[in-house]
Each structure stands twice: as structure tokens, then as C-alpha cells.
């Protein structure tokens, strides 16, 4: 027996019912980003492995244990499936010189990312992000705008209960001072550190602050805080971000333990968190990464950005009930049934003529009796069936059968078909820039077409 093959664990198929919701979501996203002047960019899914090692950091969860890295079997090159988008985006910006000296770019991308994690609700091995990157901006204004635009998206999607956590990681120098203090502090408490923390003590002590181990909470809580090491400029930057957010009416909580799992961040970092998703509650995370462009070989350039987890956002959207209001299921408006050779030729022409003026049409394929074809027409959700037999074909006419209100079938001449369908469905003539409305917005649910 042939064994059936299954998708890789943690990598999900997105089936049509769900994929339609994704497309709807992506439309909202495109419109939202356009409103803030962001332009799309698309990077490869596979990048050179060293890109991520350099950008994200050697001693991070992602690089140490989550990255799908492999050798190209043909030329031995070390490659990786991208675990996130910022590194590739910055690489592309440098490679194509997208930001001239002193210039600015607002960019976004979306697509699959890959991390070898333990799959669970809201955590997958192939997941999707929408990434937003603002390059060439040094001030606190863009940090605030990045955060404010997220708030607008939550509003547009009708999501509530997503709260904002904010922190400042300071400059590289300030982080180094804080780091030295942290190492000294944790060393003097070495016996109270768990295994993970012991391992990170010298390599990445900041990440110890992120520990979720209950027995570590007390010692972590009392650790030296980065805020006490912030210099004048970092402090002013952080305060300005907070003022802009307050002015915009955005509530936030300063969380001194928010450090983020990627090494390239400095100054402002933030996370949007929902309580409804359990441990996988962060739907959006980002911050400033002023050193990254230079670190990847470009000219020094300040930058900031964030990434949102699409699966987590969609889970929230679906359970919020708000989806119902914006989601229009793309059902065909017209289903064409036909029988006989001449009828089939006319059916093709009729379907194309209706598509010419914007209708969505399903042309029956696969033959069968009129009765069985009409069953499919009914099941398709279409509002009208076109019925074409040899009689109709000979007379250059088409039968129209309303499917949703029990109306009688009638015939119209072939040239009059588009007008007749428009009238039957929408009660209007075809307009100059006629684009029929999609879905069942015309009260199909209560039976009236
Ligand atoms: P977490 O703490 O949940 O592991 P992270 O800090 O690793 O998140 P980022 O690298 O900042 O996450 O990615 C940004 C967003 O992408 C996250 O806030 C989350 O919404 C989403 N995300 C990250 N990893 C996954 C995953 N394995 N499955 C689904 N979504 C994810
Ligand atoms: Mg993670």
C-alpha cells in the first residue's frame, strides 16, 4: 500500500474557507499601510545563513535553535529559511541602495517565516508576518507613528483588549554598562540561576530578564534596571515617544523587562499583547534598530519597525465576531448550465460576455443532465442560473432562472443578456464603469434577489 504523505509538522495548509478570510485580511492591511505611505517590498524566502547570524545575533533562541539552516546540495553554500523579515529587508535596501544618504523609505512586506519551535496554538514552524520598516528616521516621531498606526489597525479590524508594553534599551554603550552590572549581579547570585540563565550569563545576560521560569522571578525582578543606565539622549528620546503616544490617546505600560529576542534593537522597543491568546499573546512586536544597517555593511542609518503575527491576529479577528461585518464570501453571481454542442459554445460565450461587464460566473463543466447541473447551480450559492439547451441556442436566446426567490424561468435574446442579468440581480442598468457588487449584499439572505 502507498503511504499517504502529510504536511511537515507545524506547517499548515490554509484551506479555501480560511484562505478567503486571509485575502480579505490582506486587503485591509494593504489599505491601512497605504494610508501611512508605506510601499511594498518582496524578498526571497531563502537567504544566506550568515545574514541572520549577524543581524539577529549568535546567542539568540532563533539562531541557536530555531533556524532552518542547511547546505545547498549543489554548491555547498550555507542557506537559511528566513526566520524573520527585517534582516532580509535591510540586506535588500543596502544591496539596491534604496535609501540615498540622508534619504528615507517606508517599506512593508508580508509572507511566511520559519522557526523550528514546538508547535502549539499560535506557534507554528511556518507562520506569517506583516513587517513594517521605516529606514532613515532617527527621531521619536517615527517610533510613535509606528505604534499609533498599529492602534488604528486594531480599530479597523474591530479588535479590543490589545495592550501596549513599552521599554527603552538605550544606546549600545548604555546597554554595555547595564550588561556589565547585570553580569556582576547574576554572578553574585549564581546559585539561584536556572540552567538556561547560567548558560546565558556571559553570552546574553539581558535575555535572562525575559525568563518565564517562576523560580527565577524574584531574582530577575531585583536585577539592575536598564532605565537607570540610560543617558540624557536616550532618556529624552524615550520620554518624547511617551508624550506623543499620550497626546494621541494611546495607553501603554512601561515594562522594564521587555528586552525582545533579537539582538539588533536599541532605544524604543514595544509589544502589543492580547490576553485572549494564552501564552502566545504577543500579536505585534518591534522597535528601533539604529545599528543594523551598518552592521550588515551599509552606511550608518537609523531605522525602526515592527512585525505582526498574522495567525495570531486572525485568531483574534475570528473570535471577535467583527469578521462577519466586513467579510463578503466570494460566491459566483451566475451559474451557467447547458446541454448539447451548440449550447456549450453559446454557454462559453455567455459566460465571457458577463465577465466582460464584471460578473463572477461559474460555467458548468463536466456534462450531466439539466437536473444534476441545476443541483450544482443551487449549491454554488449563485443568484441566477443561465439555462442554455439546443432550443435556446437555435433561437439565439438564453434562459434565466432566479435561484433564490423561486421566480419563473424566462428567456432573453443573447445580445440583451448582460443588461438582463444586471436588472435581475441589481435592478439597475449597466453603468459606464459598471462593477457589480460582490457577494450577498443585496439581501439574498432574506430571500429577495
Ligand atoms: P514569541 O515570544 O511569541 O516567541 P518572538 O519574540 O519570537 O515571539 P518576533 O520575532 O518578535 O517574535 O516576531 C513578531 C511576531 O511574530 C510575534 O509577536 C508573533 O506574533 C509572531 N510570531 C513569532 N514567532 C511565531 C511562531 N512560531 N508562530 C506564530 N507566530 C509567531
Ligand atoms: Mg520566539
Amino acid at each position: 500500500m502507498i503511504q499517504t504523505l502529510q504536511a511537515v509538522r507545524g506547517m499548515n495548509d490554509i484551506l479555501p474557507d480560511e484562505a478567503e478570510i486571509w485575502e480579505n485580511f490582506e486587503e485591509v492591511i494593504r489599505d491601512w499601510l497605504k494610508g501611512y505611505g508605506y510601499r511594498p517590498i518582496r524578498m526571497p524566502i531563502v537567504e544566506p545563513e550568515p545574514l541572520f547570524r549577524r543581524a539577529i545575533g549568535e546567542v539568540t533562541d532563533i539562531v541557536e535553535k530555531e533556524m532552518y539552516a542547511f547546505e545547498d546540495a549543489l554548491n555547498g553554500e550555507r542557506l537559511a529559511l528566513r526566520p524573520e523579515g527585517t534582516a532580509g529587508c535591510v540586506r535588500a535596501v543596502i544591496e539596491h541602495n534604496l535609501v540615498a544618504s540622508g534619504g528615507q523609505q517606508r517599506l512593508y512586506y508580508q509572507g511566511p517565516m520559519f522557526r523550528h519551535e514546538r508547535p502549539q496554538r499560535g506557534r507554528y514552524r511556518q507562520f506569517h508576518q506583516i513587517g513594517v520598516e521605516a529606514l532613515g528616521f532617527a527621531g521619536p516621531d517615527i517610533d510613535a507613528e509606528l505604534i499609533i498606526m498599529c492602534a488604528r489597525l486594531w480599530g479597523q479590524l474591530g479588535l479590543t483588549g490589545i495592550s501596549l508594553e513599552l521599554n527603552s534599551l538605550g544606546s549600545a554603550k548604555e546597554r554595555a554598562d547595564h550588561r556589565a552590572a547585570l553580569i556582576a549581579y547574576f554572578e553574585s547570585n549564581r546559585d539561584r540561576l536556572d540552567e538556561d540563565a547560567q548558560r546565558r550569563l556571559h553570552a546574553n545576560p539581558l535575555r535572562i530578564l525575559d525568563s518565564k521560569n517562576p523560580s527565577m522571578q524574584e531574582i530577575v525582578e531585583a536585577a539592575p534596571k536598564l532605565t537607570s543606565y540610560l543617558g540624557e539622549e536616550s532618556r529624552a528620546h524615550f520620554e518624547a515617544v511617551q508624550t506623543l503616544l499620550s497626546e494621541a490617546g494611546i495607553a501603554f505600560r512601561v515594562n522594564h523587562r521587555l528586552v525582545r529576542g533579537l539582538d539588533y534593537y536599541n532605544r524604543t522597543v514595544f509589544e502589543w499583547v492580547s490576553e485572549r491568546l494564552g501564552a502566545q499573546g504577543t500579536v505585534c512586536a518591534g522597535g528601533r534598530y539604529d545599528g543594523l544597517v551598518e552592521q550588515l555593511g551599509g552606511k550608518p542609518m537609523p531605522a525602526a519597525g515592527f512585525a505582526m503575527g498574522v495567525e495570531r491576529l486572525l485568531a483574534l479577528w475570528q473570535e471577535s465576531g467583527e469578521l462577519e461585518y466586513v467579510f463578503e464570501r466570494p460566491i459566483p453571481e451566475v451559474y451557467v448550465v447547458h446541454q448539447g454542442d451548440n449550447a456549450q459554445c453559446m454557454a462559453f460565450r455567455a459566460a465571457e460576455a458577463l465577465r466582460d461587464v464584471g460578473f463572477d460566473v461559474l460555467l458548468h463543466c463536466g456534462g450531466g443532465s439539466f437536473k444534476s447541473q441545476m443541483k450544482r447551480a443551487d449549491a454554488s450559492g449563485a443568484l441566477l442560473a443561465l439555462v442554455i439547451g439546443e432550443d435556446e441556442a437555435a433561437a439565439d436566446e438564453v434562459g434565466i432562472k432566479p435561484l433564490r426567490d423561486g421566480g419563473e424561468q424566462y428567456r432573453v435574446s443573447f445580445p440583451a443578456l448582460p443588461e438582463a442579468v444586471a436588472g435581475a440581480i441589481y435592478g439597475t442598468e449597466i453603468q459606464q464603469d459598471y462593477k457589480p457588487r460582490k457577494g450577498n449584499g443585496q439581501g439574498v439572505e432574506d430571500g429577495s434577489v
Side-chain angles (χ1 to χ4, degrees):
M1 206 174 88
I2 299 171
Q3 215 183 341
T4 53
L5 294 171
Q6 292 185 335
V8 175
R9 190 164 128 77
M11 304 201 181
N12 303 312
D13 297 308
I14 301 165
L15 303 179
D17 275 349
E18 223 188 315
E20 283 170 351
I21 296 174
W22 279 63
E23 291 200 340
N24 211 266
F25 176 76
E26 284 155 9
E27 255 170 57
V28 175
I29 292 295
R30 268 200 290 276
D31 186 57
W32 162 66
L33 287 163
K34 208 162 141 270
Y36 285 85
Y38 280 82
R39 299 183 64 203
I41 182 168
R42 300 181 185 216
M43 299 85 63
I45 284 168
V46 176
E47 295 272 4
E49 186 194 14
L51 172 67
F52 300 113
R53 292 190 166 273
R54 231 203 281 176
I56 299 169
E58 295 282 351
V59 195
T60 55
D61 282 352
I62 294 179
V63 168
E64 274 188 335
K65 50 189 190 199
E66 295 174 0
M67 195 155 70
Y68 284 90
F70 55 97
E71 202 174 281
D72 185 324
L74 298 177
N75 65 6
E77 194 182 350
R78 289 296 302 174
L79 303 174
L81 299 185
R82 62 183 187 192
E84 56 98 62
T86 303
C89 182
V90 167
R91 179 207 40 76
V93 163
I94 298 170
E95 189 170 332
H96 305 285
N97 198 20
L98 280 190
V99 185
S101 165
Q104 301 176 329
Q105 279 277 4
R106 286 174 161 93
L107 299 173
Y108 79 90
Y109 48 82
Q110 53 185 320
M113 306 293 161
F114 302 83
R115 296 184 195 178
H116 199 279
E117 306 195 64
R118 193 170 66 79
Q120 51 198 293
R121 181 176 174 236
R123 193 175 291 288
Y124 311 101
R125 290 180 176 173
Q126 173 173 328
F127 63 100
H128 296 74
Q129 284 185 339
I130 293 154
V132 172
E133 318 286 357
L135 298 129
F137 298 86
D141 45 4
I142 199 81
D143 305 21
E145 192 193 70
L146 285 166
I147 292 170
I148 290 167
M149 68 192 275
C150 292
R152 171 175 295 277
L153 180 63
W154 314 150
Q156 255 169 268
L157 295 171
L159 304 180
T160 54
I162 305 182
S163 52
L164 174 63
E165 308 221 327
L166 202 60
N167 195 18
S168 174
L169 300 182
S171 68
K173 163 82 169 68
E174 291 149 13
R175 280 173 77 167
D177 291 347
H178 174 241
R179 184 191 147 100
L182 264 188
I183 292 178
Y185 168 79
F186 284 128
E187 246 169 6
S188 65
N189 290 283
R190 212 185 171 114
D191 47 325
R192 292 168 65 197
L193 299 183
D194 65 11
E195 208 181 301
D196 220 27
Q198 302 240 10
R199 192 173 53 83
R200 284 180 162 144
L201 178 52
H202 288 275
N204 195 351
L206 205 60
R207 285 288 283 166
I208 300 179
L209 299 181
D210 213 16
S211 169
K212 310 233 153 62
N213 184 347
S215 74
M216 289 278 299
Q217 296 312 301
E218 203 181 320
I219 179 170
V220 161
E221 206 47 65
K225 288 191 174 42
L226 187 49
T227 31
S228 7
Y229 290 81
L230 293 187
E232 194 63 45
E233 271 184 56
S234 293
R235 210 179 287 274
H237 187 104
F238 193 34
E239 266 161 29
V241 174
Q242 294 180 56
T243 305
L244 287 166
L245 291 179
S246 300
E247 291 289 330
I250 309 264
F252 58 88
R253 184 175 81 92
V254 174
N255 175 0
H256 296 293
R257 289 176 55 184
L258 186 66
V259 297
R260 311 285 306 111
L262 300 84
D263 275 1
Y264 50 60
Y265 288 109
N266 69 303
R267 289 206 173 152
T268 319
V269 290
F270 62 91
E271 287 193 5
W272 287 95
V273 186
S274 164
E275 294 131 27
R276 298 206 187 94
L277 297 171
Q280 274 61 251
T282 306
V283 292
C284 174
R288 185 159 275 289
Y289 51 90
D290 294 326
L292 184 60
V293 179
E294 187 177 19
Q295 201 178 309
L296 293 180
K299 293 208 191 72
M301 185 193 306
F306 61 76
M308 305 193 303
V310 176
E311 284 83 356
R312 294 183 193 178
L313 272 180
L314 281 174
L316 281 184
W317 202 25
Q318 257 161 306
E319 83 175 31
S320 73
E322 291 289 326
L323 188 54
E324 304 298 324
Y325 296 105
V326 291
F327 184 58
E328 290 173 1
R329 181 169 223 85
I331 52 175
E333 288 152 310
V334 179
Y335 194 102
V336 185
V337 307
H338 55 90
Q339 204 161 48
D341 291 345
N342 294 329
Q344 184 180 47
C345 289
M346 184 184 247
F348 270 93
R349 281 192 287 125
E352 292 300 330
L354 292 183
R355 292 181 189 121
D356 280 347
V357 293
F359 285 106
D360 299 337
V361 183
L362 266 186
L363 173 64
H364 181 84
C365 288
S369 67
F370 267 127
K371 197 171 166 214
S372 68
Q373 292 189 37
M374 284 305 283
K375 266 195 193 150
R376 286 197 197 255
D378 228 14
S380 76
L383 307 176
L384 293 180
L386 298 194
V387 183
I388 306 174
E390 290 298 290
D391 275 1
E392 283 87 354
D396 202 32
E397 289 181 348
V398 177
I400 294 180
K401 166 83 178 150
L403 291 173
R404 304 298 152 200
D405 65 355
E408 288 298 313
Q409 185 172 323
Y410 55 96
R411 282 199 196 184
V412 299
S413 76
F414 185 86
L417 180 64
E419 288 289 357
V421 168
I425 296 183
Y426 300 112
T428 61
E429 294 182 346
I430 295 177
Q431 311 290 318
Q432 186 78 60
D433 56 348
Y434 187 69
K435 270 276 161 201
R437 289 185 49 194
K438 296 216 173 222
N440 53 15
Q442 289 287 319
V444 180
E445 249 147 36
D446 63 29
S448 62
V449 174

